[in-house]
Amino acid sequence: MNIAVLISGAGSNLKALIDACSDGHIDGRVALVLSNRPGVEGLRHADSAGIANRVIDHRAYASREAFDCALVDALAPCKPDLVILAGFMRILTPEFIGPFEGRLLNIHPSLLPKYPGLNTHQRALDAGDAEAGSTVHFVTEELDGGPPVVFARVPIDPGDDADSLARRVQAREHQIYPLAAQWYCSGRLALTNDGARLDGRVLPAGGLDADDYL
Ligand code: NHR
Ligand code: GAR
């Protein structure tokens, strides 16, 4: 399985995926990394692993559609079986979703359907929530609205700020993203008309609890 990963920043999830592939935990290889931002740390993870990578700077395109077409063109030569958004920060239009629907995963730092969009950790803190988390989901045109696959819950501690909470959440992300990627690469996970399915069974509305699988 050829995996392409789209990033915008630190790329710690990218690194977890690269490591899981090289350790044999994912039946696939990261074939290409694309970043919409130049100079980010995630590109260095790709370089260190000898993985092809390119910057496609959204600021160079006149519209979201033109940027998305450039992404599609850049991905074409690697013929990805799976496209993974890992801290990718640009909302994608149907120009991009169309060609990859069903082969497109994202990790979103909340317990979906709570807190789609940005600033999830601060919103959870402001709401006085007792727990936060992260969810891997299939990407559809609806922002953070595609069918969830797997989530990890993380307790919120009294002294937490958005940064401390983000660090605790990311440690779990590095476990659940490789898990979901391996489900996909082994042919167990698919997007169907009635939602995400694992081993043929439709998943619960919020996805599966990672604690049952890790
Ligand atoms: N695109 C579609 N169509 N559907 C989804 O579910 C998507 C998506 C693109 C990205 C990741 C998502 C997240 O996990 C994601 C899911 C960026 C924004 C955003 O508002 C929102 C959600 C996500 C990613 N981006 C601003 C924009 O104007 C830019 C913000 C910035 O550059 O810092 O695109 O949270
Ligand atoms: C991750 O926590 C991911 O859930 C979040 O950004 C972080 C990226 O970290 N994604 C979003 O906020 C998407 N809007 P990384 O670059 O180290 O993988």
Side-chain angles (χ1 to χ4, degrees):
M1 287 269 174
N2 273 347
I3 303 171
V5 182
L6 272 54
I7 62 168
S8 300
S12 68
N13 279 288
L14 166 66
K15 185 168 187 312
L17 291 161
I18 292 171
D19 291 347
C21 289
S22 52
D23 292 346
H25 298 311
I26 297 175
D27 296 316
R29 62 178 196 120
V30 179
L32 179 64
V33 173
L34 298 180
S35 172
N36 69 303
R37 291 199 180 277
V40 295
E41 200 187 339
L43 291 166
R44 294 208 293 275
H45 293 312
D47 276 333
S48 302
I51 295 168
N53 59 89
R54 276 180 63 185
V55 173
I56 304 198
D57 190 333
H58 61 279
R59 294 169 297 187
Y61 296 87
S63 66
R64 282 185 190 268
E65 288 74 14
F67 169 66
D68 283 9
C69 288
L71 290 178
V72 173
D73 289 347
L75 288 174
C78 114
K79 294 195 184 3
D81 300 293
L82 174 63
V83 178
I84 293 186
L85 307 184
F88 182 71
M89 295 306 291
R90 298 301 298 175
I91 296 171
L92 295 162
T93 69
E95 308 292 327
F96 186 89
I97 307 287
F100 295 111
E101 193 149 4
R103 292 183 282 157
L104 196 46
L105 293 174
N106 178 45
I107 192 157
H108 179 76
S110 77
L111 296 170
L112 289 172
K114 258 191 163 180
Y115 311 129
L118 302 177
N119 302 317
T120 53
H121 300 308
Q122 193 57 54
R123 286 154 72 196
L125 290 167
D126 291 347
D129 292 355
E131 61 178 17
S134 192
T135 308
V136 177
H137 65 95
F138 277 106
V139 175
T140 63
E141 283 177 31
E142 187 191 345
L143 186 66
D144 297 323
V149 173
V150 61
F151 64 86
R153 282 199 283 244
V154 169
I156 295 181
D157 294 341
D160 267 333
D161 59 19
D163 287 340
S164 63
L165 183 54
R167 274 192 296 277
R168 198 173 315 115
V169 168
Q170 282 182 19
R172 299 301 314 276
E173 291 187 330
H174 302 158
Q175 303 175 315
I176 67 172
Y177 222 173
L179 175 69
Q182 170 56 6
W183 283 344
Y184 189 89
C185 287
S186 57
R188 297 177 60 192
L189 176 67
L191 179 65
T192 65
N193 285 336
D194 33 26
R197 287 179 183 254
L198 184 69
D199 299 329
R201 276 188 283 274
V202 176
L203 299 185
L208 297 167
D209 187 338
D211 286 342
D212 294 332
Y213 296 87
L214 289 170

